[in-house]
Amino acid sequence: MERKWWTLLAVSVATFMLLLDITVVNVALPSIRKDLGASFTDLQWVFDAYALTLAALVLTAGSIADRVGRRRTFAAGLVIFSLASLLCALAPNPTFLNLSRALQGVGGAVMFAVSLALVAQEFLAGRERGTAMGIYGATIGVAVAIGPLVGGALTDSLGWESIFYLNLPIGAAALVVTFLKLRESRDPNATGVDWPGVATFSTALFLLVLALVRGNAEGWGSALIVSLFVAAALLLGAFVVIEQRVAEPMLPLGLFRRGAFTGVQLAAFAVSGSLFALFLYLTLYLQNYLGLSPFQAGVRYLPSTVLSFLVAPIAGALLSRVQARFMLCVGLAAVGLGLLLMNGIQPDSTWTTLLSGFLFAGAGVGLVNPVIADVAVSVVPKERSGMAAGINDTFRQVGIAVGIAVWGAIFVGRGADQVRELAAGTPAAVGARPRELIEAASSGSLDEALAAVPAESREAVARAAREGFLSGLNTVLTLGALLAFAGAALALWLVRESEIERDVQPEPAQAT
């Protein structure tokens, strides 16, 4: 088998592991909460700890890879991710788990930063690379498709720890292929690492997410939350100044003058910040509200994930025939429509209320992912492909991290308002009790919270908590749809085919 196919295999296996880890964790969250005594905020951090470190470090990892070698860096990422997975499986409490998840994010950042660059260096831009990206997109589809089923089956039979043990043999196999079959490459013009940029960006992002996660509990006007927002804004401003002044910025702002580059980053942010960030809250609905087991919840995701898997290779084949902006627009619009169709969940609804939305959203994701992957590395010179891939993954992970935090704040805030209104005249409507009830309903501990409610009010309070949960969920589904629609419009406006590198075939030799 040719080296380029071995490269695609190694990258696809590693990507499969990364995405499988996200989707299997999704359905395991209620079991993690029960075994480790995790709160609603802890469950948010299971995702955000991973996404934050990945987003903060992926650009730096790309720069390091361009300098010291992409194969070597990719292998280091595999080792870090696999070891962190072992620590996750051994976690005795939520804090240890979330710190281990943050370490997973470090390994994930390294692998994400160079995965697309490794593919781009082996496959010519245009039809050949489109085929590779179609396979890459299909890998994403498979991971998303079987992840909930694998996670549900493992959690039900062996416990949630097994979802992290699963990464060890996958990581070992990818590491063997990497050392035996991949070609080393680097950017000969790469210089140092922008450490001031790393420090300001990562700290700003952490403070922003922390403020969003803690805002409902502390009060949005409290000194702590206001200070966190102000500090995050100042650090982001400092980051922009640094990037304009350093010789080798981690995020070259000049790239954003190219519309296609900006458009594909916004598309990545939109799909991640809408559907992918909302998977957390949909899983809480399926398991903690409807009472489905992890495996049963995984089965309910199948219509969406299988359709995403089937559409991805078709999208890859269309890359050389259909303009990228049209594919991005249609795909994101389908995601938005899917989220709108999921809206309107009632207390007596079943999971089939989500079915039509799952189908549209799954098709949209299958269409969008290969296009984003291709355009992200095709709008810059090949020697900057590592940085370009890192920037794109940064926008993806920032979308997930900020999306989970924003939707969580709105979800809890809207739900608490509904509880306060429906439970008026009872102790459940006073002080922080409405928020606590929504968080209890979300994390699967509502029965424990209701035990402290007077018996005569318990049924009314339970009804208020459940309706508040649905009110918050319907609200964030609507807002997620609006984000996807905005991404579709921006992609259609900004992405231009003339700015995307396409394969230029050599002229045939002329007879003499």
Side-chain angles (χ1 to χ4, degrees):
M1 188 164 67
E2 293 180 69
R3 184 183 61 227
K4 64 181 180 181
W5 297 113
W6 280 112
T7 301
L8 182 60
L9 176 64
V11 167
S12 296
V13 168
T15 302
F16 179 85
M17 178 174 66
L18 291 171
L19 295 174
L20 187 68
D21 193 66
I22 295 172
T23 52
V24 299
V25 169
N26 198 30
V27 296
L29 283 177
S31 297
I32 292 173
R33 183 212 67 81
K34 183 178 180 181
D35 286 356
L36 299 185
S39 66
F40 176 73
T41 299
D42 291 328
L43 297 183
Q44 289 179 295
W45 280 110
V46 170
F47 279 98
D48 274 350
Y50 175 84
L52 278 174
T53 52
L54 201 156
L57 298 176
V58 70
L59 288 173
T60 302
S63 298
I64 293 173
D66 287 342
R67 185 182 184 190
V68 305
R70 291 167 185 151
R71 186 186 71 164
R72 182 183 302 173
T73 306
F74 185 71
L78 281 168
V79 171
I80 294 170
F81 189 89
S82 300
L83 291 177
S85 297
L86 177 62
L87 294 176
C88 288
L90 299 174
N93 55 60
T95 300
F96 190 97
L97 174 62
N98 288 332
L99 289 174
S100 301
R101 286 285 285 169
L103 184 60
Q104 269 192 318
V106 175
V110 174
M111 286 188 285
F112 268 131
V114 294
S115 59
L116 291 182
L118 287 170
V119 173
Q121 76 185 18
E122 298 292 344
F123 291 86
L124 293 175
R127 182 175 301 176
E128 185 179 88
R129 187 180 295 171
T131 300
M133 292 306 176
I135 296 173
Y136 178 83
T139 301
I140 294 175
V142 170
V144 173
I146 72 170
L149 285 178
V150 171
L154 289 175
T155 302
D156 281 344
S157 59
L158 301 175
W160 61 266
E161 298 90 346
S162 60
I163 67 177
F164 294 109
Y165 286 128
L166 182 64
N167 292 330
L168 301 180
I170 298 176
L175 193 62
V176 169
V177 174
T178 298
F179 278 121
L180 294 181
K181 298 295 183 179
L182 268 62
R183 174 172 63 94
E184 186 62 279
S185 65
R186 53 178 54 85
D187 179 2
N189 300 316
T191 55
V193 176
D194 176 19
W195 294 116
V198 173
T200 51
F201 179 76
S202 57
T203 306
L205 191 59
F206 173 77
L207 294 179
L208 174 61
V209 171
L210 181 62
L212 291 168
V213 169
R214 295 297 304 165
N216 281 307
E218 301 291 339
W220 294 102
S222 67
L224 173 62
I225 300 303
V226 171
S227 297
L228 289 173
F229 278 127
V230 170
L234 291 175
L235 285 169
L236 283 175
F239 172 71
V240 171
V241 172
I242 289 169
E243 298 309 281
Q244 292 175 329
R245 294 175 179 270
V246 297
E248 292 290 332
M250 61 178 279
L251 181 62
L253 299 179
L255 291 175
F256 289 94
R257 297 191 186 100
R258 181 174 294 193
F261 183 86
T262 302
V264 75
Q265 312 312 331
L266 294 177
F269 179 91
V271 71
S272 296
S274 57
L275 182 63
F276 293 150
L278 286 169
F279 270 139
L280 167 62
Y281 304 101
L282 289 169
T283 297
L284 296 180
Y285 168 70
L286 290 172
Q287 293 191 51
N288 293 338
Y289 189 93
L290 295 182
L292 301 177
S293 71
F295 183 74
Q296 290 171 332
V299 170
R300 269 62 176 184
Y301 279 122
L302 269 181
S304 176
T305 55
V306 169
L307 192 56
S308 175
F309 165 68
L310 294 175
V311 170
I314 298 174
L318 291 174
L319 275 168
S320 60
R321 300 177 177 88
V322 181
Q323 290 191 19
R325 65 191 185 116
F326 293 129
M327 296 175 68
L328 289 172
C329 179
V330 171
L332 283 166
V335 170
L337 179 58
L339 291 172
L340 280 185
L341 290 173
M342 293 180 209
N343 192 3
I345 303 171
Q346 300 298 321
D348 59 348
S349 296
T350 65
W351 81 272
T352 55
T353 302
L354 305 174
L355 182 56
S356 61
F358 276 167
L359 292 173
F360 274 95
V365 168
L367 184 60
V368 163
N369 272 331
V371 184
I372 291 176
D374 178 69
V375 176
V377 295
S378 299
V379 293
V380 297
K382 182 180 291 188
E383 63 271 13
R384 306 193 78 178
S385 58
M387 176 179 289
I391 293 171
N392 188 251
D393 288 322
T394 297
F395 274 81
R396 283 181 180 271
Q397 298 306 318
V398 169
I400 292 175
V402 175
I404 286 175
V406 169
W407 303 143
I410 296 172
F411 169 78
V412 172
R414 173 62 185 140
D417 288 343
Q418 187 78 348
V419 170
R420 197 172 287 112
E421 178 182 333
L422 295 176
T426 72
V430 179
R433 287 295 293 159
R435 173 182 58 80
E436 293 169 356
L437 284 167
I438 292 298
E439 292 185 354
S442 304
S443 59
S445 56
L446 182 58
D447 289 342
E448 300 168 19
L450 291 174
V453 177
E456 64 274 11
S457 305
R458 195 166 297 158
E459 184 177 347
V461 172
R463 188 183 314 111
R466 293 189 177 94
E467 291 193 21
F469 176 97
L470 295 182
S471 177
L473 180 59
N474 286 324
T475 298
V476 296
L477 286 172
T478 301
L479 294 175
L482 294 178
L483 175 59
F485 288 141
L490 289 169
L492 183 64
W493 175 40
L494 293 169
V495 177
R496 290 290 179 267
E497 203 69 17
S498 59
E499 296 178 343
I500 302 173
E501 178 190 354
R502 294 303 182 197
D503 190 14
V504 179
Q505 300 293 343
E507 294 291 334
Q510 300 295 321
T512 57

